[in-house]
């Protein structure tokens, strides 16, 4: 089973925090993996950089986005807790959260504006994007490496044998 997008983790993470207690990210990793029936192999899949599992990265970004929207707060490092606004969202009856939904919160809109570095991506593409910022950077890095390799190959193929 492929690992769900970070947006699919938003609602279950907020729901987990509904008890009002502070929770660690380790608790979240375990609880969400069980809830979504993720195997150990799914959880162990690494990002291309090899520095973090794709699963933990996506859960982490879900937490970041919920915190930036004001639905979760961080009482201490590595912990999260639901806010009054988060409780309202759960009581509203919705069953799924995504970036488009979070855009109704001014704090989140401010975060997205500060976070953007270019205007190349339309807001529709941003809302529908299923990859985390880390995954987007990895993909861009791979594209740049391929382009560089193609440029180098083109230049070398134009050189005379004496060049070597």
């Amino acid at each position: 089973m492929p690992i769900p997008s970070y947006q699919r983790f938003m609602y279950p993470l907020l729901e987990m925090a509904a008890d009002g207690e502070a929770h660690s990210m380790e608790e979240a990793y375990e609880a969400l993996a069980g809830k979504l029936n993720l195997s150990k192999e799914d959880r162990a899949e690494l990002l291309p950089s090899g520095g973090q599992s794709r699963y933990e990265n996506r859960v982490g970004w879900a937490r970041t986005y919920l915190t930036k929207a004001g639905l979760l707060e961080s009482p201490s490092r590595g912990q999260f807790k639901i806010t009054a606004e988060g409780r309202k969202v759960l009581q509203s009856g919705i069953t799924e959260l995504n970036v488009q939904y979070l855009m109704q919160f001014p704090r989140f809109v401010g975060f997205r504006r500060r976070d953007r570095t270019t205007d190349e991506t339309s807001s529709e593409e941003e809302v529908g994007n299923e990859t985390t910022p880390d995954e987007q950077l990895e993909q861009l890095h791979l594209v740049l490496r391929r382009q560089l390799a193609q440029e180098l190959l083109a230049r070398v193929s134009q050189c005379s044998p004496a060049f070597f």
Side-chain angles (χ1 to χ4, degrees), residues 120-133:
E120 293 175 21
T121 308
S122 74
S123 60
E124 287 178 22
E125 288 172 334
E126 284 182 40
V127 168
N129 196 346
E130 296 292 319
T131 58
T132 68

Side-chain angles (χ1 to χ4, degrees), residues 83-137:
T83 64
E85 191 66 38
R87 286 185 197 285
K88 287 180 191 173
V89 168
L90 288 177
Q91 292 167 355
S92 73
I94 66 153
T95 58
E96 188 175 322
L97 293 172
N98 56 34
V99 172
Q100 185 175 8
Y101 182 85
L102 296 181
M103 292 299 284
Q104 70 181 296
F105 300 100
R107 288 179 52 189
F108 186 75
V109 172
F111 161 70
R112 293 291 284 190
R113 283 195 185 130
R114 284 189 308 274
D115 193 40
R116 291 187 64 196
T117 56
T118 66
D119 289 330
E120 293 175 21
T121 308
S122 74
S123 60
E124 287 178 22
E125 288 172 334
E126 284 182 40
V127 168
N129 196 346
E130 296 292 319
T131 58
T132 68
D134 289 336
E135 291 170 325
Q136 291 171 22
L137 284 173

Side-chain angles (χ1 to χ4, degrees), residues 15-151:
E15 196 175 43
M16 178 185 169
D19 63 5
E21 300 295 318
H23 295 276
S24 71
M25 288 305 292
E26 293 302 320
E27 288 176 70
Y29 299 146
E30 291 301 317
L32 295 178
K35 185 170 186 144
L36 297 173
N37 297 317
L38 296 176
S39 69
K40 288 187 181 210
E41 293 80 23
D42 291 335
R43 293 180 59 187
E45 179 187 336
L46 296 178
L47 291 172
S49 66
Q52 185 181 30
S53 77
R54 185 175 306 277
Y55 169 70
E56 289 181 6
N57 180 269
R58 289 185 178 178
V59 173
W61 278 105
R63 174 189 173 220
T64 297
Y65 278 38
L66 292 173
T67 301
K68 296 298 182 180
L71 306 182
L72 293 177
E73 62 184 358
S74 185
S76 63
R77 186 166 191 235
Q79 299 212 330
F80 61 93
K81 184 178 176 181
I82 197 166
T83 64
E85 191 66 38
R87 286 185 197 285
K88 287 180 191 173
V89 168
L90 288 177
Q91 292 167 355
S92 73
I94 66 153
T95 58
E96 188 175 322
L97 293 172
N98 56 34
V99 172
Q100 185 175 8
Y101 182 85
L102 296 181
M103 292 299 284
Q104 70 181 296
F105 300 100
R107 288 179 52 189
F108 186 75
V109 172
F111 161 70
R112 293 291 284 190
R113 283 195 185 130
R114 284 189 308 274
D115 193 40
R116 291 187 64 196
T117 56
T118 66
D119 289 330
E120 293 175 21
T121 308
S122 74
S123 60
E124 287 178 22
E125 288 172 334
E126 284 182 40
V127 168
N129 196 346
E130 296 292 319
T131 58
T132 68
D134 289 336
E135 291 170 325
Q136 291 171 22
L137 284 173
E138 294 280 350
Q139 290 170 355
L140 289 173
H141 177 73
L142 291 174
V143 168
L144 289 174
R145 285 188 64 177
R146 284 189 204 117
Q147 289 174 345
L148 178 60
Q150 289 172 350
E151 277 183 46

